C-alpha cells in the first residue's frame, strides 16, 4: 500500500482535500471523510487509507493528516482524513470515537466500487489518540453504532500508526476515562490472529505514550506471525 519513506516529502501546509463525503450522521451532526483523489490515471482498483487525527479524544482536526493524504494521493492511493466526534465536538466518551472510526472504515469498504478502491486493501492510520482509534479498528471487537451494516467488515487490512496509544490499562494512557471498559478498548490487550499488519512510527523521546507498550504490541504480533 505504501512504503516507510511515504512521509518524507517537504511538508505541504497548503494541502486541501478534493472533496468531502458524509459517512455518518449522528443526531444532527454530519461526520465527513476529507478525500484526496489520485489523478484519473491512477491504477484501479486503488489501495486506500483512512487517517484519524490525534488530540486525546478531546479535539483535533482532519487537517492534521492533509499533508500525508496529498502525498499518498500523488502516488496512487485514495487517501482520506476522517472527522470523528470528540469530547470537545460532540461531548462524547472515547468509546464513541472508535464507533465513528469503524463506521468510516466500513463506509469506504461498502462503497469501494464507486470509490475505485480495492476492498481488501484499506488501511487505517492515525497519531496519538488517533493512533489508538486507528489501532482499535484493527483489534477491538464491538464498539459499533447500532445501525451499522455488520455484513461489511470495519476491520482494516493494514495499520499505519504514529506514536499510537496502545495501552489503556492503569499502566497506559487514559485509564480513568475508560476504566469501565478498558480491557475491551485497549488495542494491546486485544491483539489476536486476525489483527492486521502494522507499520509504526515512534519517537524514542516520546513521553506521553510509553514506548514499552509499542514494543509489547510488536512482540505479541510477531508471536502470531503478523508483520509489525
Amino acid at each position: 500500500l505504501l512504503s516507510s519513506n511515504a512521509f518524507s516529502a517537504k511538508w505541504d501546509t497548503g494541502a486541501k482535500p478534493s472533496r468531502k463525503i458524509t459517512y455518518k450522521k449522528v443526531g444532527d451532526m454530519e461526520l465527513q471523510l476529507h478525500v484526496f483523489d489520485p489523478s484519473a490515471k491512477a491504477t484501479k482498483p486503488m489501495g486506500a487509507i483512512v487517517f484519524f487525527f490525534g488530540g486525546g479524544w478531546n479535539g483535533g482536526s482532519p487537517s492534521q493528516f492533509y499533508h500525508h493524504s496529498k502525498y499518498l494521493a500523488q502516488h496512487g492511493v485514495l487517501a482520506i482524513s476522517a472527522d470523528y466526534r470528540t469530547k470537545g465536538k460532540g461531548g462524547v466518551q472515547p468509546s464513541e470515537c472508535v464507533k465513528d472510526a469503524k463506521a468510516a472504515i466500513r463506509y469506504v469498504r461498502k462503497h469501494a466500487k464507486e470509490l475505485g478502491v480495492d476492498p481488501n486493501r484499506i488501511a487505517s492510520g492515525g497519531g496519538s489518540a488517533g493512533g489508538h482509534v486507528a489501532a482499535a479498528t484493527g483489534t477491538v471487537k464491538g464498539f459499533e453504532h447500532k445501525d451499522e451494516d455488520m455484513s461489511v467488515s470495519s476491520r482494516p487490512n493494514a495499520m499505519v500508526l504514529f506514536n499510537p496509544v496502545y495501552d489503556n490499562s492503569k499502566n497506559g494512557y487514559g485509564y480513568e476515562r475508560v476504566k469501565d471498559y478498558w480491557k475491551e478498548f485497549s488495542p494491546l490487550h486485544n491483539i489476536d490472529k486476525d489483527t492486521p499488519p502494522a507499520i509504526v512510527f515512534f519517537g524514542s523521546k516520546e513521553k506521553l505514550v510509553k514506548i514499552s507498550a509499542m514494543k509489547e504490541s510488536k512482540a505479541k504480533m510477531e508471536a502470531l506471525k503478523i508483520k509489525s
Side-chain angles (χ1 to χ4, degrees):
L1 178 62
L2 43 88
S3 64
S4 59
N5 67 351
F7 309 104
S8 61
K10 184 178 180 181
W11 199 264
D12 187 347
T13 57
K16 298 293 181 183
S18 46
R19 56 187 170 130
K20 296 180 182 179
I21 300 172
T22 297
Y23 72 89
K24 190 75 182 179
K25 291 184 179 180
V26 184
D28 59 356
M29 187 177 295
E30 290 192 3
L31 302 176
Q32 294 186 317
L33 303 176
H34 297 214
V35 182
F36 288 73
D37 290 302
S39 73
K41 296 180 181 179
T43 302
K44 295 182 180 179
M46 302 173 284
I49 187 166
V50 184
F51 286 111
F52 301 98
F53 58 82
W57 309 303
N58 292 317
S61 168
S63 63
Q64 179 182 5
F65 283 100
Y66 278 8
H67 164 80
H68 309 71
S69 296
K70 181 177 179 179
Y71 181 89
L72 293 174
Q74 291 173 338
H75 290 76
V77 176
L78 183 72
I80 297 167
S81 191
D83 199 7
Y84 63 94
R85 294 172 298 153
T86 61
K87 182 178 180 180
K89 187 175 68 176
V92 300
Q93 296 298 315
S95 56
E96 298 297 307
C97 302
V98 173
K99 289 181 182 180
D100 292 349
K102 288 193 172 189
I105 298 292
R106 179 175 285 111
Y107 181 96
V108 174
R109 181 167 282 121
K110 187 172 184 178
H111 296 84
K113 186 173 182 180
E114 62 192 79
L115 292 170
V117 166
D118 181 344
N120 297 312
R121 292 171 60 218
I122 300 172
S124 63
S128 194
H132 167 273
V133 170
T137 64
T139 54
V140 307
K141 297 178 176 63
F143 300 97
E144 302 272 12
H145 287 286
K146 292 181 179 180
D147 61 348
E148 287 291 298
D149 180 359
M150 300 301 290
S151 68
V152 181
S153 175
S154 62
R155 180 166 293 203
N157 304 103
M159 301 182 293
V160 180
L161 309 174
F162 300 83
N163 59 299
V165 172
Y166 272 131
D167 183 4
N168 300 117
S169 71
K170 286 184 178 181
N171 296 320
Y173 178 88
Y175 174 75
E176 288 300 321
R177 294 177 65 185
V178 302
K179 59 184 178 182
D180 291 339
Y181 52 87
W182 77 266
K183 286 184 180 180
E184 296 80 29
F185 190 71
S186 177
L188 175 62
H189 297 86
N190 288 277
I191 293 170
D192 62 21
K193 63 180 180 60
D194 296 320
T195 297
I199 181 170
V200 183
F201 301 85
F202 210 106
S204 61
K205 294 185 179 181
E206 169 67 45
K207 294 182 179 180
L208 186 61
V209 181
K210 294 181 178 179
I211 196 169
S212 58
M214 183 273 290
K215 292 180 177 178
E216 187 176 350
S217 175
K218 178 179 175 65
K220 282 188 173 185
M221 291 176 71
E222 289 182 344
L224 292 168
K225 301 188 184 305
I226 301 168
K227 291 183 179 180
S228 177

